[in-house]
Each structure stands twice: as structure tokens, then as C-alpha cells.
Amino acid sequence: MTLSKTIGIIGGGQLGQMMAIAAIYRGHKVITLDPVADCPASKVSEVIVADYADVEALRILAERCDVLTYEFENVDAESLDAVADKALLPQGTDLLRISQNRIAEKAFLSQVGVAVAPYRVVTSSKDLTDYDFVTTRVLKTATGGYDGHGQVVIRDEESLAQAKVLADQTDCVLEDFVPFDMEISVLVSGNSRELTVFPVQENIHRNNILSKTIVPARISENLAEKAVQMARKIATDLQLFGTLCIEMFVTGSTILVNEIAPRPHNSGHYSIEACNFSQFDTHILGILGETLPDIQLYAPALMLNILGQDMEAAREFMTQHPQAHLHFYGKAEAKYNRKMGHVTMLTEKVEEVNL
């Protein structure tokens, strides 16, 4: 067992907050770096207030910590390279660079040998000349997109014109639009020697933002095992430290990998109450190189996201479902579509429960 360490977390949002809680429960000290002084992680850790690319602030964080990690993938990799070696940042920056750029991500996944949607790289509107509408496709920015931002589904001349404007602004990936049956994700944690895998999760989105996660996913055992093996293959190739989320599409008997996130994920929040160890527990264990437990799901579960417009509905929900587990992240302002918290319930009636 690792003695008490000081863990530096780059990013103080809700993921950083829950990482910090998991670390503190194991006796570790946490220092967070975030541009906002009253970020969610400030409730449970010391905060260095600085931009994520501030090399001097990152150096101060590195000098005060035994190990560094990050809560989201848009951390500046070059700045991290300037202050941290592999011993201090076990996840490294190669994985960060892969997950920051869809072009690099698609190339990596193809090299690993897992299936992805047909795609090609687009560097300007010239690459969309003589476009055919036989196949519906989606243009995605190579960097910076999230929750549906930085994407255009090309269905007609009007949307093609929007795509051309986007293509002239930044490098993009043009993917075939997948008519999927279900979106799923698999969480896997590693310590470079071994892996532990969480149950396959079914994800339901509303307006391109995750609304509900159902565990286990309502798919066949064969498909679930195929998804797990794909996740293991990716994690093994990466010599993974910490938690990784692999997002996938199920279409018939085929599973396509959509993208990877090199940290705990919104779809895995249910694991705090529904599993013997959470995705945050295994992330902390993984980056410290400790032995990883086999994951057990106590009961079928669902997680509901609480967005800014859902605050009153969430409070009403809790009066009607006192057995549910409520998490508010402590964000100062409840903005529209901003993730303010989540609710987890252990129940087999997953279709019947909604905010």
C-alpha cells in the first residue's frame, strides 16, 4: 500500500473534485490547479489559481507533488512536457495528444486494429468540392469539440455550406454518419501491469449532452464481451495508467469506437454507489501504481445528469426518490446546459426513472 502522497490534479471541475475525494479517502493530500478560485475542487483541496498552460504555475505544482494527473484532455501537453517526466506524470502526454486531436485519435485507433466509422481528413473547404450526398456524413473539428460543439451533420446544400466555413477555420475529420442502435462506453483502469474493467454502460444523450447512463447496458453478452475486449486492446497498447473511457456505437452485431477520454468520465459516475470501487478510486490507484481490484456491480443502476435548467426538478426528484444518491458539484452559477450534478439510483426499473 502506498503511503500518503501529494497528488496534483490539473483541472478543478467536478471530475477533479471527485478524484480529490477518492484520493483524500485513501489518506493522500491533493493540490489542484485551475483558473477559477472557487472551482468545484476547491471544496475539497488546495487550489493554485492559474491557467492550464501556465508553465511556471505547473512547475510549482509539480515541485509540490509526488504525482500529477489531469481531469480533462484539453490541458496543454507542451506545458506539461516542460515540467513533468514519466515518473511524475504516469499517464504521460502521448495519450493526451491522441485524445486532443481527432485526426491523431482515428489514426491511433486504426493502428490498434479496432473498428471505427469510415472517415477522411479535411484541411479546407477544397476537400469538400464535388461533394456527394449519397452518404450522410458529419464534419468534426480535429480539436476543441465537445457535447456536439464543433460539428456539422451534412444533409443538404445549406449544411454543406456551414461545413465548408468550419473546414476553412480548422482541420477536421469527415466521418460517415453511423445509424447506431445504441451508444455505449467502457471504463478501464490500469497501473501499466494490469487492467480492471467496469461493466459496459449504455448512454442516452439529449441535445448532444449525456442525459442518462444505464448499467449494465441492455445488449447481449456477446456484444458486451466484444466491447470489453476492444477496451482492453486499446488500454494494453497504451500501457495505461489511471482510468480511460472508450465511447462506442453499437450497430447490429458491429461495435465501432467513437472516441477515447483519458480520465474518469461522466458516464461512470454511477460507480461511486453502484460498484465496490468507483472509477475515481481506480484512477487514483492506477496512477500510483497500486494493485487494482476486480470490479463488482452491486445492482443494476442508472445515472441522471443534472443540468442548469434541471435544478428544481432534481430537488423534486429527490423528495419522490429518497433512496437515490444526489451529487451537487458546488458550481457558483446554474447556467443552461451546464452540468451541475447527477443522481444515481440502484434499480432494475431503468426505463421508468427520469428527471
Side-chain angles (χ1 to χ4, degrees), residues 92-104:
T93 54
D94 288 345
L95 173 56
L96 200 55
R97 285 184 166 90
I98 290 168
S99 58
Q100 284 176 345
N101 188 298
R102 284 193 173 95
I103 297 172

Side-chain angles (χ1 to χ4, degrees), residues 56-67:
E56 184 54 36
L58 286 168
R59 183 171 285 114
I60 292 169
L61 179 69
E63 289 172 352
R64 295 185 59 191
C65 295
D66 299 299
V67 64

Side-chain angles (χ1 to χ4, degrees), residues 100-326:
Q100 284 176 345
N101 188 298
R102 284 193 173 95
I103 297 172
E105 185 178 57
K106 296 292 185 186
F108 164 74
L109 293 170
S110 298
Q111 173 259 315
V112 170
V114 296
V116 298
Y119 77 98
R120 61 185 172 92
V121 176
V122 170
T123 59
S124 76
S125 59
K126 294 179 182 178
D127 295 326
L128 299 174
T129 303
D130 299 324
Y131 187 88
D132 73 79
F133 295 95
V134 175
T135 301
T136 302
R137 300 179 180 91
V138 55
L139 188 75
K140 301 179 180 180
T141 55
T143 60
Y146 69 97
D147 288 347
H149 297 283
Q151 299 185 18
V152 177
V153 179
I154 305 175
R155 303 183 189 275
D156 50 29
E157 291 291 346
E158 182 180 352
S159 53
L160 176 61
Q162 295 171 357
K164 286 181 176 180
V165 171
L166 189 62
D168 281 332
Q169 294 173 348
T170 185
D171 289 347
C172 297
V173 168
L174 184 67
E175 294 180 12
D176 285 6
F177 189 84
V178 178
F180 56 84
D181 304 319
M182 183 185 296
E183 293 183 66
I184 61 172
S185 56
V186 180
L187 291 165
V188 55
S189 299
N191 58 15
S192 85
R193 307 181 306 276
E194 61 186 348
L195 300 172
T196 194
V197 184
F198 288 78
V200 180
Q201 304 152 184
E202 175 183 345
N203 301 319
I204 299 169
H205 290 75
R206 186 185 302 158
N207 299 322
N208 293 309
I209 300 173
L210 182 64
S211 175
K212 177 190 284 191
T213 294
I214 296 170
V215 188
R218 294 170 293 180
I219 55 176
S220 69
E221 289 185 13
N222 286 341
L223 275 177
E225 181 59 26
K226 184 183 290 188
V228 167
Q229 291 308 316
M230 292 170 77
R232 283 186 170 276
K233 191 172 186 179
I234 292 167
T236 299
D237 192 275
L238 291 168
Q239 296 182 300
L240 180 67
F241 280 91
T243 296
L244 174 75
C245 181
I246 300 101
E247 298 180 65
M248 307 174 180
F249 295 130
V250 177
T251 173
S253 60
T254 300
I255 294 179
L256 302 175
V257 177
N258 181 33
E259 59 186 24
I260 61 176
R263 36 78 180 173
H265 192 262
N266 193 178
S267 64
H269 292 345
Y270 76 92
S271 62
I272 296 172
E273 285 87 21
C275 296
N276 55 335
F277 288 82
S278 77
Q279 62 168 342
F280 303 100
D281 295 326
T282 55
H283 181 76
I284 297 300
L285 290 170
I287 62 172
L288 292 175
E290 294 193 17
T291 302
L292 294 168
D294 290 332
I295 299 302
Q296 300 173 18
L297 181 69
Y298 292 138
L302 61 82
M303 186 279 299
L304 303 171
N305 257 340
I306 301 171
L307 304 181
Q309 61 269 30
D310 301 327
M311 297 293 280
E312 287 304 316
R315 293 187 177 94
E316 179 62 25
F317 180 92
M318 291 306 300
T319 64
Q320 298 174 7
H321 303 88
Q323 73 276 26
H325 299 269
L326 174 66

